[in-house]
Amino acid sequence: MGAGHAHRLYLPGASPVHRLPPQCKLVAVLAFVLLVVATPRERIWAFGVYALLLAAVTVAARVPFRTVARRIVIEVPFVAFAFLMPFVAEGEKITVLGLRLSESGLWGAWNILAKGTLGVVASILLAATTEPRLLLLGIERLRMPSLITQIATFMLRYGDVVTAELGRMKVARASRGFEARDIRATGVLAKSVGALFLRSYERGERVHLAMVSRGYDGRMPVLYDVGATAMQWTLAAVLPLAAALVALAAWMSP
Amino acid sequence: MHVPDGFIDAPVSIAAGAVAVAGIGIALRGARRELDDRTAPLAGLTAAFVFAAQMLNFPVAAGTSGHLLGGTLAAILVGPYTGVLCVSVVLLMQALLFADGGLTALGVNITTMALVTVLAGYGLFRLLLRMLPKTRASVAAASFVAALVSVPAAAAAFTVIYAAGGTADVSIGKVATAMIGVHVLIGIGEALITAATVSSVLAVRPDLVYGARGLMKPLELRVAARKADGPAEPSRA
C-alpha cells in the first residue's frame, strides 16, 4: 500500500529451505496460508502454533528474526484499520479499560491481525529464500501461462531500470526547484509520468526488435529448468501438513 | 487497497480467485490480438512502468498523500486486455516478492484492482469518446472521468466481496460509505494524473494512445517547399 518497495528482499544462502525447488515452496506457502485463513478465529492457541511453525522455518532458513520483523512494516495500514474495528463494529459492547468496545469488533481485529501477519511472514520467508528469477520458474512449472511469466520476467528485469529513470526525473525536478506541495503540482508530475511511459514503451519496442533479431518467435527458450524430486516435495510438505493437523485440531476442539 | 490474508474468508477468496483466473484468461487471448508477438516485451515494460508509477506519491489533502493505481491509465495507453495483464502481473509480483497483499487474497485484489478498474474505466472512456467531439481536450476529459469513476468502482466491488465473505462484523453500510468515500478522494488524484498523462503522451506520440486510435491524425513531417530555381528561402524562424 503506502510503503515503498525499494529494498531487495532475497537473502542469498544455502540452507535446506533455500535449496528447495521454487514450485514446492510456492505450493507449501499457499496451502499454509489457506489453512490459516480457514482456521476459526476463536482458537487463539492455533495461531500461536502457526507462529511457532513459521519461527521454525525461519530458523531452518537462517533468516534473521530482525529482518523478518523489519519487513512486516508493509502491513501497517491494515494494523491501523484493525485498531479502528472495535470502535466501529456492531454487536454486543463490552468495557475494556474504560472504553466501550464491540466484542465482535475485537474478534474481527484479532482475526485480521493474526491471519494477516502470519500471511505476511510466510510471504516474506518465501521471498527471502527464493531468488525472484527462480520464483518465476516455479510459477511456470505450476502451469501458469507462459505469457504471464514472460511479462513478469520483463517487469522484473526492467523494473529497476524504469524505477531508476523515475528517480533521475525526480532529481531533475528537484534541482530545478520543484517541490510537490499541492494540487498545482499535478501537471508537472503527470508530464513526468507521460515521459516515463514513452521511455518505457519505446524501450519495449527496442527490446522486442533485439529479441526478434536473435530469433524470438513468441516463446522463451528454456535455459534452466527446475525439477523437483519426491523427496523435495515431501520436505516442502512438512509445513502445510503440520498446519493441517493444527487446523484439524482447531476445527474439532469445542 | 491491497487486501491482506484473513480479511475475506477462504471460500469467497477462492471464488474471487476463480473470477480472476477467468478474467486473465480472456485478457491473455485479447492481448495477443492487441500486440501479437510483441506482447511479452511491451506488456512487461508497461507493467514495469505501472509498478514505478505507483511509487509516485502525490499530495491529496491535509498532508496525506495517495499513489497512482494506474489501471485506467494502462488500459487507455496500451489497451484494455494488455492493461488487465499489466496490473495483474504487478499485483502478482507485489504479493510474491514484497508480501504486499496476501497470497490467498490475490484473487480479490486482481478482481477489484485489475478487472473492475479496467472494465469500468476503459468502458466509460470509450463510451464518453463516442459522444464527445474528436479533439484532444475530449480525450483528456474522458480519461479524467474514467479514472475518477474507476477507483470508487473498485472500492464498490471490494464492498460487494466483503458483503459475501468479510470476516469482520462491520455493517455493509459503514464499509461502503468509508471505502467509497475515501476512494472518491483518491480517485480525484488518480483522475488528474491520468488525464494529464494521457494528454501529454497524446501530444508527443498520438499513435501510442490505444484508446484514442483512429481519433487523432498521425503526426506528419512537414518540409518547407523550395522554389524551383534559385537557392532555398532563408528560414525566418
Side-chain angles (χ1 to χ4, degrees):
Chain A
M1 213 158 142
H5 295 120
H7 40 242
R8 283 277 138 251
L9 294 171
Y10 175 63
L11 290 180
S15 75
V17 184
H18 280 82
R19 284 202 305 269
L20 277 179
Q23 64 270 35
C24 307
K25 281 190 268 190
L26 274 165
V27 172
V29 168
L30 192 62
F32 174 79
V33 182
L34 259 179
L35 285 165
V36 169
V37 171
T39 306
R41 60 191 181 185
E42 288 78 13
R43 312 281 183 275
I44 295 176
W45 58 268
F47 296 99
V49 181
Y50 289 140
L52 285 180
L53 287 176
L54 284 184
V57 176
T58 315
V59 171
R62 297 191 203 104
V63 176
F65 281 104
R66 227 183 33 198
T67 315
V68 177
R70 214 172 42 228
R71 289 178 184 170
I72 292 184
V73 176
I74 192 96
E75 217 200 359
V76 162
F78 277 93
V79 175
F81 185 86
F83 272 108
L84 274 178
M85 203 169 279
F87 297 97
V88 295
E90 334 282 287
E92 246 169 78
K93 302 276 181 185
I94 54 170
T95 308
V96 184
L97 301 171
L99 293 171
R100 277 176 53 74
L101 302 176
S102 148
E103 194 179 355
S104 69
L106 281 173
W107 278 118
W110 154 253
N111 183 57
I112 288 173
L113 275 183
K115 292 179 180 175
T117 309
L118 287 168
V120 166
V121 171
S123 301
I124 290 172
L125 288 175
L126 175 68
T129 58
T130 321
E131 243 183 293
R133 192 173 54 90
L134 286 180
L135 262 180
L136 291 179
L137 280 178
I139 54 177
E140 191 154 10
R141 290 288 294 213
L142 296 173
R143 303 283 165 83
M144 180 73 86
S146 94
L147 195 53
I148 294 272
T149 52
Q150 280 186 44
I151 295 173
T153 311
F154 279 104
M155 184 199 137
L156 269 187
R157 200 170 288 167
Y158 290 98
D160 288 339
V161 177
V162 175
T163 311
E165 207 137 33
L166 189 70
R168 287 192 291 280
M169 289 180 186
K170 190 179 175 189
V171 171
R173 285 195 306 264
S175 60
R176 285 157 181 80
F178 173 80
E179 195 185 335
R181 262 192 226 95
D182 54 24
I183 203 119
R184 282 167 297 176
T186 314
V188 179
L189 290 181
K191 287 216 172 60
S192 298
V193 179
L196 189 71
F197 170 73
L198 287 178
R199 289 185 191 179
S200 311
Y201 198 87
E202 286 170 351
R203 189 186 293 275
E205 288 173 334
R206 292 195 298 277
V207 168
H208 171 248
L209 289 180
M211 287 161 66
V212 169
S213 67
R214 285 159 181 78
Y216 176 72
D217 61 350
R219 49 182 59 249
M220 294 295 256
V222 179
L223 297 176
Y224 180 72
D225 204 10
V226 277
T229 61
M231 186 61 214
Q232 286 168 321
W233 277 111
T234 319
L235 196 60
V238 170
L239 176 71
L241 281 183
L245 286 179
V246 176
L248 205 62
W251 278 103
M252 305 287 250
S253 74
Chain B
M1 202 63 180
H2 290 58
V3 178
D5 293 309
F7 213 87
I8 303 292
D9 65 15
V12 176
S13 297
I14 292 173
V19 172
V21 167
I24 290 178
I26 296 170
L28 274 173
R29 212 176 291 168
R32 283 211 188 90
R33 217 167 38 235
E34 276 168 8
L35 292 172
D36 57 77
D37 73 328
R38 300 182 307 153
T39 306
L42 287 183
L45 263 295
T46 309
F49 158 75
V50 171
F51 181 73
Q54 287 194 350
M55 289 181 192
L56 193 83
N57 284 294
F58 53 85
V60 177
T64 58
S65 67
H67 74 83
L68 200 67
L69 299 174
T72 312
L73 180 61
I76 293 174
L77 289 177
V78 293
Y81 298 112
T82 317
V84 166
L85 285 187
C86 293
V87 180
S88 305
V89 166
V90 169
L91 291 170
L92 174 73
M93 290 291 104
Q94 281 170 343
L96 277 180
L97 300 178
F98 302 104
D100 196 4
L103 277 182
T104 57
L106 193 58
V108 176
N109 283 326
I110 288 182
T111 305
T112 56
M113 281 190 271
L115 298 181
V116 173
T117 313
V118 169
L119 218 62
Y122 192 76
L124 193 60
F125 175 78
R126 291 303 298 182
L127 195 74
L128 285 173
L129 270 195
R130 205 169 294 170
M131 297 187 294
L132 291 169
K134 300 188 173 188
T135 61
R136 242 168 75 186
S138 49
V139 175
S143 30
F144 183 89
V145 178
L148 182 67
V149 172
S150 72
V151 180
F158 171 79
T159 312
V160 171
I161 294 175
Y162 178 87
T167 54
D169 191 16
V170 181
S171 74
I172 303 306
K174 272 184 190 167
V175 172
T177 322
M179 281 296 286
I180 296 174
V182 168
H183 285 88
V184 166
L185 282 182
I186 297 177
I188 294 173
E190 176 98 5
L192 283 170
I193 297 259
T194 302
T197 304
V198 168
S199 50
S200 80
V201 175
L202 205 56
V204 191
R205 287 281 306 262
D207 56 316
L208 283 193
V209 182
Y210 182 94
R213 262 181 202 183
L215 219 71
M216 299 294 139
K217 269 193 292 184
L219 297 183
E220 55 185 42
L221 194 64
R222 283 192 198 144
V223 186
R226 275 160 176 259
K227 279 185 180 162
D229 44 2
E233 232 179 313
S235 76
R236 268 167 291 179

